[in-house]
Each structure stands twice: as structure tokens, then as C-alpha cells.
Amino acid sequence: MKTDWSLEMPPAYFTLESYEGGAARWCPGCGDFAVLTAVQKICRDEQLPPEKVVAVSGIGCSSRFPHYMKTYGFHGLHGRALPVACGVKSRRPDLKIWVATGDGDCCSIGAGHWVHAIRYNMDMTVMLFDNAVYGLTKNQTSPTTPPGRKTNTHPRGAWLPALNPLTATLGFSNVSFVAQTVDWNPVHLHATLAAAYRHPGTSFVRILQRCPTYSDDMFAEVQKDSNRLLLLEHERGVPAASGLQRMYAKRMEHDPLDMAQARALAEQQDTLPIGVLFADPSRPRYDEYTAQGLEMTAEDRLNALESELDRFAV
Amino acid sequence: MLPPPCSAPQSEVVAAVRRFHLLEQAQALPPLGPDALPALLAQFADEGQVRTDYPLVVRPGGEGPFVQSLGDALGAAAEVMADAKILKDNLRRLEKRIKDGLVSEGWPVLMQPLLQSAGAAMSEALGLAPSGVEQLTKDLEGLHTLFPKDALLVGLGPYTSTYLFVLAAHHEAAPRKKALSARLEKVVARVEQVLAVERKKDPSAHAAGALQSGMGGLGSSLVSPAALSSVLGKPRGATAMAPERRARLDEVLAVLRAWSTADDPAAILLHDGFLDPEAGRLSDGSVVERQEDPARAVVGRFDDEAQRWTERFRSLRIAELEVAGTWDEDHHAPWLQSFDWEAFSRDELMAMPPVVALASASDVAKGDFLAVSQALTSGRPVKLLIYAEPLKDPRAEGEVASGFRLELGYLGIGHREAFVLQSSVARPGHLAEGYKGALACERPGLMVLDGAATRGPTPRLGRWLYASAAVEGRAHPMFSYAPEAGGSWAARLTLGENPQPEADWVTWELPCQHRDGGPTSLSVEFTFADAALLDPGMAKHFAIIPGDCPQEDLVTMAEWLGLSDEAASRKVPYIWVNASGELWRAVVTRRLAWAARDRQAFWRLLRELGGVKNVYVEAAVAKAQAEAAAEIERRLAEQAAIHAAALEATRRDAAKEAMERLTAVLLDLDAGPLSTSAAPRPVVKAAPVAAPAAAPAVEAAPKAEAPKAEAPKPEAPDAEEPWVDSPLCTSCNDCVAMNPALFVYDGNKQVRIGDAKAGTFAQLVKAAESCPAKCIHPGTPMNPDEPGLADLLPRAARFN
């Protein structure tokens, strides 16, 4: 018998360049660069064909993300990154979705979609670029701006307590993955996003991201004093790499299935937990439902529709 | 009863028996009556009372066991039912009714209706109380659900073995066809989708007519399709596919649409008038073709069929590659151009209907045997179904008994590459498994079946007993040879369900009654001669031995076959027969006895190859045992020698000690007390250990010292090179934008120093200051003359 190799293709190997869609135009020193590189690295490590990847965003600095990925992309309306992503996933479950959304885009105008997208739990990775300010529109107060911080809309300082995206997301029904990381630690950023990518369901990752123009000092203290961060470790979370362990003196073994502890950690103000707070892969996924009948031909669909309509025949 | 005495003088009787045995002259001996049967089979004379494996329950769809006897199938089904006492108590009645209701000459009949009618008839005949009827009806309904709708009943007739093959082919192909059908349906739908999208790109899709039909009546009344058409431009965002791709898709879609897996036959049967397809209903679901020389035609027919399937699978592959978007003209086109059946996957090859040549063994043996040989080494999965007559050499013309028989199955094994099965309808389990093995094998297959039992009119005692006798009498031993099964004979050859494989001949206890009235029993072997007795054409090889014939020269057939040629030549073999209810010895002709000897030799050969009573093994075991025994002997002797030596030493020591004691006692008497028996030992001071040899007078020359390197001059320290803690780099482009030669990205898009001399110290410091990750370490200036160092050095120190 001779072997049939006709179905095999010469192996294609994707490098970082395969996912680089042109020079990124963010301010020099912007934390978004790190996130972009981390995502491109994960795509490369997983050898995802670029045509099987979709980057979806809303409006904001970070939402330029799809332009810099040489994959499919959708630069949506303000606050509408998540519904667009859900729409793509609901009928194309084979695509890998990366959602780039900012603190304004997600937590303010898009907050309604945020609640439901988390509840739908479709398989995608949601990256919340949280620089605690509206940067694109030149320094206005965003939902996550800490009180007292002076902005163009609150020259005497923000008045309300900041919205905590972690506690909020952990409170939504059917939440399946919540993590937090920082843009200035590429190792942890990459590991956290990789864990989020591997998680089946909506993985919500809040990335503390510096805006070199308007909030460069926002995380200066945290950056300087690594004791302000608490490294969460678990075999089901971010793997405890020795390099990371050396960087952070404060470490804690946290089981991502422990919701009560996750909520308590998310509430903390003095030390910021980084790593996976909550992950439960068993939560129901709406895309498994919405993707039914994909193999139906147009004729099948028409027949199904007709038979449904026939039920109303008198 | 043992035979009565004969009136003739004994010497004449002996002479008559010998004459018959050697010369086949039967005048002086009473002939065998037409009702004579081998003694062991007489109890089965009433065929109706014999419960056989038939009819068979066959499940071609793949649920449950493929083949089961009706009794077993009903029993197994009833076992899983709770309660159902009435049904369970009357299962045999139900079985009998189904059997009686079955009208089949070996073709399959749907089981469900028969089960239903037999159940209803039985329920009526049992005369149960109304509650009992209700319960039984319910249980019968339950029993129904335990059999799949496509369950079939197959009786024993001329076509049974052929049908079982076709059903086995169906059974083996069914799951593969199902998977193939799903694969086909999916890919056709996807290709249609692709083409539907393509059609929409056609400008004609925007024509007024197309828009009108798209909008329907109501839409057209609200919007003018003509006006809409005029404003719609060329579709954007998509270009039409290349014409050659379009042609390729159209072509494969046409092939795939025309392919309906449900219409594919279960098997393609080639025969030369050997079958009567109409009478056998074989053309239902199979293709039956008449070919002059089926064994010669089978390879060509397979190639034709494979060509058809090649076209299908090639199209399927192209379509799958196209819809996956991985079609690469340069890579795939050459492959698929030379695509043929040899490149089929196993599942694909198995989904093809097997091409089978049916022929009788005598046609094959007397005809073009070379064609069979070529088919068996063709490398193609063609199958040959050969019907042999167990009592006959396939080359013999008319004459039955022969001292040699051509073994087609054994010749098949000689081809090494082919799967060979020799089986019989008498053991349907073995037959079905053998068929499945042959079908699963991607090589040629030769199947030799007992055709005598099934072909032609029903023999005496019925087909099943007749076929069973051939198996029991080693006339048609069963075996299968699977060349792929392993590297040894033991793995490849299996002897299957042959009874009592350890023995040359099967032995059974025969209960009988002595003339004097007392019950007794005989241990009787069932030999090839016993099996031959069932054939009416073989009656001339037997004659009754009168009861008073002297016993000295008479031996049973099995004993005779165990004798050397020399010893056998002086003896006359006989078998026990039952004629008119009485037990007689029947003398067997020398010709038939030789045929039996040939059968015995073949059986011994098979057994040895199959690892049963293998001479090599026996010799190896004997050798190992002898070695083990010798080793034990050797060790025993060794131990005995050690023991004897120890004993001797002990004795010697004891004697010496006794003498010493005696001496001491005697000395004590004269010399007074001695302090001890041993004089005190002088304390000998050990001589001081000789002092180590004096150190050599001449001191070894001091080791030549390694020429000392000149003390390094305190050179001006090298410039400390700049470096980047790359893993911390956030890829922000800041430094790279500043000097792309000094700062370069690595494979992970993290910065490292490229050419340290390609930039100024000022740039390094500036980059370090602006780096958000603070991972740039500028070191010290390469160029000590760079202006502004006084300012830069303290700034750089923060990052070093």
C-alpha cells in the first residue's frame, strides 16, 4: 500500500511577524505595547493561524488594538466591543477572540454589555486596559479614576469612589474567569493572558496599565514597592515561575475555585492581588448553544423555518 | 446389540472380510442396509428432534452480536427481562414455532414479523387465563424491542454461507459507510455554501429580476427592483474566485452529488453459473455478475470498481481541502493526479464493496489454478469463496475415496500473503468470525467452505449434521490463517472450533445394550470413515462383519490408523455402525482407510503448525525436563559428597579428640597437674616496623615554578558594557524608535543591545530614563571623550 500524503500540507510556522499588523501608534512608553506583544506571543506559542483569530475593540486608546494585529479585526462602537465579540463567537465558534476594551469603554458606556457578556460566558479573552483615565479624549475622569485625582472634568479631584472592575465582575452571574495583572511585568502579563486564553469561557483580565501622558504616576508607588502587590499562585492559576517568586515577596496560594476568597482579595485596597482570582471552567457557555445548526444548509434552514411557520397554520 | 454369529466357517468369514477390505469384493458379506448410520449418529436419525444452531439470528446493523443461534438469542434477550415467567418457561416453544414458520433456503428473512406471528400463535395455543394472556402479550412486546428492526433469521440452505458472507460485508461496512456518508454530506453542504456565496458576487445577482425574487411580492410592491438594481454598485469587499477553482469545485460537486452511499451494494459476486441468483435472491442488495472464469476475472473487476471509487475519494479530498481553505495547487494536484486505491485510507478501502469470486473447488482445481494463485498474490483485497467437498479430492473425476486430497486452503497458506479461512456452516460462529477477519484484512482472501452439506439436495440426517460430521471426522478441519496477525505460526494460524484438538480423532461414549441385556457403553472414535458413511455414494466401501468373525485381525479404524504401515497391512479396520437399531462392526475398504490416513496426516500437520501437539515443543519440553532431572541428580550427588566428606571429617576429629583426652588422662596420672594443656606462649615482641626508607639524600629539585605571569598592570578598567534585562521589556518601542541600531528586538519582541557602539552614551541614558520597565542599564561610556559625560554619568548610575 502506498501512503497518501495528499492531505498533509507543508508545515507552516507562524512567527511574531505573522501577527504584527503595522507599527503601533501609541504614546512612547505606553503600557498597551506590552499587552499587544503578549497577545502576539500567545498566538505564536499556540501557532494560531492568523485567519482564525479576531481582535475586537470598542473606542479608546487601547481599542486601536485590532489595527496592530495582522488577524481579523473589528473596531467597534464605543462600549460595544463585547456585543460585537459575542456576535462573532456565536456563529463562528472556531475563531479565537481577543477583546480589547478600556475602563471607559467597558465600565462606563459599555457596562450593560459587560454584565451580559460575562453572563453569556462565550469562549473569548477580554482584556480591560485600565489606566483609570480617558486618555484618548485628553484626561477626563473615568469610572476607575481614584477619588481626589485631578482631571479635566474634575479639576479639584475626582469626587466619587472608583469602580472596582474585579468585585463588579465577580458579582455577575455565571462569571467564569477573573484575573488581574500589570503591564510593567511582561512575564506575569504573558502568563496571566495565557491562562485566560486557555480557559474555556469568557476570561476577564483587568490589566493595570500606565498612561505615560496622563496617568504615568498612577501606579508609580506600586511599581516601586513590589510589596504593594500580592502574587496569587496556584496550579490552576498562573504557574509559580521562580523568576516571579523572586520579584514578589508577598505571595499567596489561592485556589481559583474559591469565590469567597476571590471576592475578599478583590476588595483589598492596600495590596493589589495579581494572578487568577477566580476560574471555573464548568460554567455553561452560551456559544455552545448559539452555534447549533451551523452545518445546516440554506435549504435545511428554510425547511425548518417553514415547518415552524406551519405550526401556526389554521 | 452385538452382532449374532454367522453360520459360515470362521476361516471363510475371515477370508471374506479380507477380500472385501483389499479387493472390495462384497459377495460373501452382508451389505450395509440403506438405513445404516455411524453408531454415534444413530440417535440423531430423526432430524426434526435435533436442535441445531439454525436458524441464526443475524444483526447486520452492528447492534449486539453479529450471529447467534435463535435459541441463544431468545435466551439472552429473555434474561435481561424482569419477571416474564410465562415467556421464559415457554421460550423453547416459541423457538420451535419460529423455526417452523421460517421458510428459507438460506436467504435472510426479517425476524420481527416471524417473532410476532409465532408469539401470537403460541399465546393462543397455551390456553392461558386472560390475565396470563395479557402478561404474555406484554412480555412478547418487550421481547420485540430487544431485537433491532433489521434483525434477520437465516436458515440452513444452499445459500446460507454466501448470504452470511454478504451480511458480514454489510456488517463490516455499515459503520464506515455511515461515517463516510456524514463526511460526504458535510463537505457537499460546505461546497454548496461556497458556491452560493460565489453566485452572489455575480453582477446578475443585482439584476432587477434577482432582486424581485429575493424581496418577494410584498417587497417588490414597496420598492422598485429596477430602481434598486440601478443604484446598487458592484459588490464590494469580495472578488470572484478564479475560474479554474470554480471549475474544480463544480466538477467535484457533480461527482459527490451523484454518489449515494445507500445505493452501494454490499458485495460484488462473480460466478460462472455456480449460483442461481434468482432462486437464491442474492441480487437483492448485492451485484451478481456472471463471469466465465471468476477467479481470473476478480482482479480486473476489482480494478474497475476501484477506479470508480478513486474518482469519488479524489473528489472528496479536493472538496475537503477546498472548504478548509488549504488547497495548494502545486502541492496537491500532483498527488491527486496519481491517486489510486492503494492510497485509500483503511476506512475508505473497507467502505468499498468486496469483489468476490465464487467457484467450486473442483472447477478451481481442474481449471486455471494459476489464476487463483495470481489473485492470491495480487495485493488487492479480492476474495475467493471456494466450495469444497470434504470427502472428495477436488481433482478426482467421480471417484470419491482417494489416498490424497489437494488442500486448497493449505495451498492458500503457501501464498503467504493471503488471508485463508477454512470453515463450515456447521459452526456458524467460526464462519462469521472468519468472514469478518477476511473482510477486515486488506489482503486477498481465500475462503474454503464445506459445499457438500449445503449444495444440492438435503442429505440424510439433514444439512447441519452432515456438515458437522465432516468437521468431527476431520474431513473438513477448520482453521484460519491471518498473515497480519504476527510473526509466528502460533499467531497467524488458529485452529478454531475443531472438537478435541489434542486427539487425532474425536472420541465419544456410546451407550448401548449388551445382547445379554445389561447396559454397557463403548468408547467410540468418530473417524473420517464414519463421516464418509453418511454419504450414500460411499456405501460400497463398507460391509457388515458377521458376529462370530474371529477378532484377532480386526482393529477399529482409529487403532488401524495408529499402526505402522507394516503392522497395518496385516490388520483389517472396522467402524461401528447402527443398522436397523443394532450395533454392527463394518469392515472398511483399504482405499477408504488410506483416505482416512491422508486426512489424519493433514490434521496432524495443521495441529503442529497451530501449536497443538507440536513435536518441537514436545522435544524441547522433554529436553528441558531431562536437563532439569540431570541437574537435580548432579546437585544430589554434590550434596551427598559434601555430606560424606563432612561425616568423615567429624569422625576423624572425634577420634583424634578422644585420643588426646585419653592421652591427657594418662599423662595426668604420672606427671602431676599441668597448669594448662598448652604451655604458656612466650610473649614475642613484634619487631619494630622498619623505618621508612631514609629520605633521599638528594633533595628533589624544587618544582619548576610556572613562569609567573607578569603582574597585571592595573589597566584602566574596561568600559562597562550596556545591557538590557530583556525579559522585563514591555516592547514599548521607545528606545527602538530612538536608535534602532543600538536597541533591537529579539525573537520575543523584547529589546536587547544590538551594536553598542552604534549609539551615544547620551542615548543610552535617555533610553534608560524613559524606559517604563526600567530594564535598560547604560553601563559606562564607550567613548571617554563624549561631551556632557559629567552630567550623564550620575544620571546613568541610577540604572547600573
Side-chain angles (χ1 to χ4, degrees):
Chain A
M1 297 285 281
K2 73 182 182 199
T3 316
D4 173 25
W5 287 326
S6 65
L7 289 173
E8 288 173 20
M9 277 294 289
Y13 183 78
F14 302 111
T15 60
L16 280 184
E17 284 74 30
S18 313
Y19 308 97
E20 285 174 3
R25 277 178 286 169
W26 282 306
C27 301
C30 180
D32 294 356
F33 287 107
V35 184
L36 178 66
T37 308
V39 171
Q40 287 167 343
K41 271 192 219 167
I42 292 167
C43 290
R44 184 219 32 207
D45 296 347
E46 299 285 334
Q47 285 295 299
L48 299 178
E51 71 273 17
K52 289 285 176 193
V53 177
V54 189
V56 183
S57 68
I59 295 295
C61 286
S62 59
S63 293
R64 294 195 57 77
F65 194 89
H67 296 269
Y68 308 139
M69 291 283 287
K70 199 160 51 178
T71 63
Y72 283 113
F74 203 116
H75 192 163
L77 296 179
H78 196 20
R80 271 64 183 176
L82 286 168
V84 169
C86 288
V88 174
K89 192 69 186 178
S90 62
R91 295 305 280 170
R92 286 300 301 273
D94 54 318
L95 300 180
K96 305 291 178 194
I97 315 257
W98 296 92
V99 182
T101 181
D103 44 309
D105 193 56
C106 176
C107 307
S108 177
I109 189 170
H113 299 303
W114 177 23
V115 178
H116 293 287
I118 294 295
R119 188 167 72 96
Y120 292 167
N121 192 30
M122 295 188 179
D123 190 12
M124 60 177 74
T125 309
V126 180
M127 300 171 289
L128 176 71
F129 293 68
D130 189 356
N131 57 5
V133 73
Y134 283 95
L136 187 72
T137 50
K138 318 292 181 230
N139 195 22
Q140 289 86 20
T141 305
S142 91
T144 59
T145 307
R149 186 171 182 87
K150 290 175 182 162
T151 65
N152 288 341
T153 40
H154 292 93
R156 293 180 197 165
W159 203 75
L160 285 171
L163 184 147
N164 183 337
L166 297 178
T167 53
T169 312
L170 285 169
F172 299 156
S173 301
N174 203 34
V175 57
S176 80
F177 186 99
V178 177
Q180 177 159 269
T181 183
V182 295
D183 76 59
W184 58 86
N185 187 331
V187 179
H188 192 265
L189 176 68
H190 179 269
T192 309
L193 286 178
Y197 168 79
R198 285 192 297 269
H199 173 79
T202 301
S203 318
F204 181 85
V205 184
R206 181 199 193 191
I207 304 166
L208 302 178
Q209 177 238 324
R210 297 149 305 121
C211 169
T213 309
Y214 298 113
S215 65
D216 201 22
D217 56 340
M218 185 80 72
F219 305 109
E221 271 185 45
V222 183
Q223 235 181 316
K224 252 185 252 164
D225 179 9
S226 66
N227 280 334
R228 288 286 312 278
L229 292 174
L230 173 65
L231 183 68
L232 302 181
E233 297 172 325
H234 198 270
E235 57 181 4
R236 286 197 294 272
V238 174
S242 57
L244 283 175
Q245 287 176 332
R246 272 203 302 278
M247 264 183 238
Y248 298 103
K250 276 195 173 176
R251 299 195 298 272
M252 176 184 179
E253 185 80 3
H254 166 63
D255 182 356
L257 279 172
D258 186 348
M259 174 62 101
Q261 195 175 41
R263 286 186 174 148
L265 287 167
E267 288 277 3
Q268 281 186 180
Q269 297 293 328
D270 44 346
T271 44
L272 295 171
I274 57 168
V276 179
L277 284 112
F278 180 72
D280 180 0
S282 68
R283 297 278 166 120
R285 284 167 43 195
Y286 200 35
D287 49 339
E288 287 182 342
Y289 173 79
T290 58
Q292 286 173 10
L294 280 179
E295 299 298 324
M296 283 171 87
T297 59
E299 200 177 336
D300 292 339
R301 280 172 214 192
L302 205 57
N303 289 342
L305 190 62
E306 295 286 3
S307 70
E308 199 60 28
L309 291 174
D310 283 348
R311 292 172 57 208
F312 300 101
V314 182
Chain B
M1 281 232 311
L2 293 173
C6 175
S7 54
Q10 287 193 350
S11 57
E12 279 181 32
V13 175
V14 172
V17 168
R18 286 197 171 156
R19 260 202 306 282
F20 182 83
H21 172 60
L22 292 171
L23 308 173
E24 301 177 22
Q25 291 172 356
Q27 298 87 341
L29 292 176
L32 215 53
D35 63 337
L37 285 172
L40 283 169
L41 293 185
Q43 52 187 319
F44 308 120
D46 183 358
E47 194 197 346
Q49 298 303 312
V50 181
R51 187 163 172 249
T52 72
D53 287 338
Y54 291 86
L56 298 171
V57 176
V58 182
R59 297 173 177 87
E63 299 167 47
F66 170 53
V67 161
Q68 234 177 348
S69 76
L70 176 62
D72 289 350
L74 289 176
E79 210 157 88
V80 299
M81 296 173 71
D83 303 330
K85 179 155 177 26
I86 305 177
L87 177 65
K88 284 179 184 171
D89 286 350
N90 291 285
L91 269 186
R92 289 284 172 86
R93 282 200 176 86
L94 185 64
E95 183 187 333
K96 181 89 169 65
R97 278 186 186 273
I98 294 173
K99 213 179 270 187
D100 292 346
L102 177 69
V103 182
S104 161
E105 278 289 286
W107 53 77
V109 175
L110 273 178
M111 180 180 185
Q112 295 273 17
L114 263 176
L115 185 57
Q116 200 154 18
S117 58
M122 183 183 79
S123 175
E124 203 177 311
L126 283 177
L128 297 165
S131 64
V133 172
E134 195 183 323
Q135 183 62 44
L136 182 60
T137 313
K138 215 176 100 203
D139 293 341
L140 282 167
E141 278 166 11
L143 189 68
H144 257 266
T145 59
L146 293 172
F147 290 95
K149 279 213 171 63
D150 61 350
L152 300 165
L153 282 175
V154 179
L156 185 54
Y159 297 97
T160 304
S161 51
T162 320
Y163 257 114
L164 278 178
F165 180 80
V166 173
L167 291 172
H170 183 79
H171 180 266
E172 290 301 287
R176 295 186 167 97
K177 273 192 180 173
K178 202 172 157 192
L180 185 61
S181 176
R183 189 177 152 197
L184 188 63
E185 205 172 304
K186 190 174 157 189
V187 79
V188 166
R190 292 283 293 118
V191 172
E192 280 171 347
Q193 271 178 355
V194 170
L195 288 175
V197 170
E198 185 60 20
R199 274 193 292 278
K200 285 200 185 129
K201 294 177 192 166
D202 193 331
S204 65
H206 289 185
L211 290 173
Q212 181 162 11
S213 68
M215 288 189 287
L218 183 63
S220 313
S221 66
L222 297 171
V223 179
S224 159
L228 183 60
S229 171
S230 67
V231 295
L232 282 175
K234 191 171 176 272
R236 292 171 59 204
T239 48
M241 65 170 72
E244 56 269 27
R245 183 177 180 218
R246 176 72 189 260
R248 189 164 55 237
L249 283 176
D250 283 339
E251 194 184 327
V252 299
L253 191 60
V255 173
L256 298 180
R257 271 185 180 152
W259 179 9
S260 157
T261 50
D263 297 339
D264 290 328
I268 297 171
L269 308 173
L270 313 181
H271 72 109
D272 181 17
F274 183 69
L275 291 173
D276 181 356
E278 288 312 311
R281 304 183 188 182
L282 265 169
S283 22
D284 300 349
S286 305
V287 171
V288 182
E289 288 173 10
R290 194 151 178 170
Q291 297 271 5
E292 203 170 308
D293 187 349
R296 183 163 285 283
V298 71
V299 172
R301 184 65 182 82
F302 171 84
D303 286 347
D304 292 346
E305 187 65 14
Q307 184 55 40
R308 214 160 66 86
W309 285 74
T310 300
E311 195 53 42
R312 291 170 163 188
F313 286 129
R314 183 191 289 130
S315 299
L316 192 57
R317 274 169 166 65
I318 294 175
E320 282 172 340
L321 288 165
E322 279 285 2
V323 298
T326 48
W327 170 266
D328 179 339
E329 182 75 24
D330 295 340
H331 175 71
H332 293 118
W335 262 114
L336 291 172
Q337 208 165 11
S338 64
F339 183 72
D340 61 11
W341 68 269
E342 286 184 273
F344 287 7
S345 72
R346 181 175 166 77
D347 279 345
E348 286 170 347
L349 197 62
M350 295 291 114
M352 250 185 86
V355 182
V356 193
L358 296 121
S360 72
S362 60
D363 283 352
V364 168
K366 287 181 222 160
D368 190 359
F369 189 76
L370 189 63
V372 173
S373 191
Q374 279 165 346
L376 291 184
T377 47
S378 66
R380 291 158 175 77
V382 294
K383 312 293 171 204
L384 301 165
L385 215 54
I386 307 293
Y387 291 90
E389 292 188 43
L391 299 179
K392 198 175 160 186
D393 178 21
R395 297 163 306 176
E397 298 286 350
E399 181 48 76
V400 172
S402 154
F404 179 79
R405 196 176 78 180
L406 182 73
E407 290 297 340
L408 285 174
Y410 191 55
L411 264 177
I413 294 178
H415 286 79
R416 299 199 327 274
E417 279 300 296
F419 182 96
V420 182
L421 170 74
Q422 182 154 310
S423 189
S424 162
V425 287
R427 301 287 182 272
H430 183 262
L431 182 62
E433 284 309 310
Y435 278 159
K436 280 159 75 177
L439 285 162
C441 182
E442 295 171 22
R443 297 162 181 254
L446 172 70
M447 290 157 279
V448 182
L449 304 175
D450 175 2
T454 48
R455 315 290 306 166
T458 310
R460 211 156 45 128
L461 293 190
R463 296 185 194 279
W464 186 82
L465 266 176
Y466 192 65
S468 279
V471 174
E472 298 260 338
R474 315 288 192 212
H476 188 75
M478 301 192 299
F479 62 86
S480 66
Y481 177 80
E484 288 162 337
S488 66
W489 275 101
R492 293 191 296 260
L493 187 76
T494 41
L495 289 188
E497 297 178 25
N498 289 295
Q500 301 178 18
E502 295 284 339
D504 281 342
W505 303 103
V506 176
T507 308
W508 300 106
E509 279 301 305
L510 175 67
C512 55
Q513 202 175 27
H514 201 266
R515 193 199 302 266
D516 307 334
T520 181
S521 76
L522 280 170
S523 194
V524 178
E525 292 93 352
F526 192 84
T527 64
F528 174 73
D530 294 80
L533 181 56
L534 284 182
D535 191 309
M538 303 288 274
K540 62 183 176 184
H541 288 281
F542 302 93
I544 297 285
I545 300 176
D548 57 349
C549 179
Q551 305 284 312
E552 299 87 64
D553 293 344
L554 298 180
V555 288
T556 64
M557 189 76 225
E559 282 169 341
W560 187 86
L561 289 168
L563 296 175
S564 66
D565 284 358
E566 171 65 22
S569 67
R570 302 183 174 283
K571 297 285 184 187
V572 177
Y574 68 87
I575 61 167
W576 287 105
V577 298
N578 187 315
S580 314
E582 293 185 331
L583 205 52
W584 294 83
R585 288 189 181 90
V587 59
V588 180
T589 62
R590 180 62 63 103
R591 271 201 302 156
L592 185 60
W594 277 338
R597 177 160 284 190
D598 178 55
R599 300 295 75 219
Q600 178 179 265
F602 182 53
W603 171 240
R604 285 180 175 174
L605 175 78
L606 276 183
R607 227 171 33 174
E608 189 164 350
L609 293 176
V612 183
K613 289 199 80 164
N614 186 312
V615 181
Y616 292 108
V617 174
E618 283 168 4
V621 169
K623 191 178 166 204
Q625 280 173 344
E627 279 173 4
E631 175 68 11
I632 290 168
E633 280 296 317
R634 191 184 63 74
R635 285 195 191 170
L636 275 178
E638 201 178 283
Q639 291 299 322
I642 292 169
H643 179 70
L647 197 63
E648 183 58 32
T650 311
R651 275 189 189 141
R652 216 172 31 240
D653 290 350
K656 191 177 164 196
E657 196 180 328
M659 284 305 292
E660 278 174 0
R661 281 189 185 166
L662 183 61
T663 314
V665 170
L666 293 175
L667 284 174
D668 277 353
L669 291 177
D670 287 346
L674 288 172
S675 57
T676 56
S677 58
R681 282 181 171 185
V683 177
V684 180
K685 278 196 178 172
V689 177
V698 185
E699 284 250 327
K703 270 187 192 168
E705 273 187 15
K708 270 190 184 168
E710 295 258 323
K713 281 182 185 168
E715 264 184 7
D718 273 340
E720 192 186 323
E721 290 210 349
W723 64 287
V724 178
D725 197 354
S726 298
L728 295 180
C729 169
T730 64
S731 328
C732 76
N733 290 347
D734 218 4
C735 55
V736 180
M738 196 182 294
N739 185 339
L742 180 58
F743 300 104
V744 293
Y745 278 131
D746 64 9
N748 273 329
K749 208 184 172 190
Q750 286 177 311
V751 160
R752 61 180 173 79
I753 298 293
D755 180 0
K757 292 185 175 141
T760 60
F761 189 62
Q763 278 177 324
L764 278 165
V765 174
K766 207 171 157 197
E769 285 173 338
S770 67
C771 174
K774 306 289 177 236
C775 62
I776 298 174
H777 307 281
T780 52
M782 295 268 175
N783 176 9
D785 304 327
E786 190 176 318
L789 283 185
D791 172 41
L792 290 171
L793 280 169
R795 278 164 64 189
R798 287 166 50 213
F799 301 103
N800 281 331

